[in-house]
Amino acid sequence: MTTTVPSSLPWKPTPRTDGGRDPLAGLKAREYPVNGKRVQFFDIGQLAKALNRESVTLRKWEREGIIPKPTFRKKGKDIRGSRRLYTRAQVIGLIKIAIEEGVFYPHQRPIRETQFAAKAHKLFADLRREEAVAA
């Protein structure tokens, strides 16, 4: 079963010149060097927007183990600590899983009654393995 990102996202995706749609075009990525390459990262607020949720909900999901702890963090500018950073692949993967499991829209289906957490943890583990092989 192939899952696509819906055309009605909570932000306005910018159409690409190649005719396709980038599901994260409305979100501004930050680039940081990782292993000598520039990698696009999205913070927890951008991930929350991509998943139709609030940042506080994703922090709660992280505490409860529904989503994995971020693979990357950046030291914050103030005393509150570090910033959670998610790669483009992680964000797109979480969007696809949310759609597959019927939790992309709030109150669509209780997240604990789905395989969202298991699939999200598997996604992050698979992406970590791919990054390790590429490094």
Side-chain angles (χ1 to χ4, degrees), residues 96-135:
K96 288 179 181 178
I97 292 167
I99 293 165
E100 287 172 5
E101 293 298 316
V103 296
F104 184 72
Y105 296 104
H107 312 296
Q108 187 178 9
R109 187 172 172 202
I111 199 160
R112 284 177 180 68
E113 294 177 7
T114 69
Q115 294 297 310
F116 182 88
K119 288 182 177 183
H121 284 272
K122 182 180 180 328
L123 168 72
F124 276 49
D126 291 347
L127 291 172
R128 264 190 233 113
R129 273 194 294 278
E130 287 175 19
E131 291 166 2
V133 170

Side-chain angles (χ1 to χ4, degrees), residues 44 48 53-69 84 86 111-112 116 121:
I44 196 161
R53 298 298 192 283
E54 297 290 328
S55 300
V56 67
T57 301
L58 294 189
R59 288 185 193 101
K60 178 183 174 191
W61 285 0
E62 183 186 317
R63 276 192 313 274
E64 294 176 356
I66 294 170
I67 61 171
K69 294 192 182 296
R84 295 163 174 86
Y86 301 89
I111 199 160
R112 284 177 180 68
F116 182 88
H121 284 272

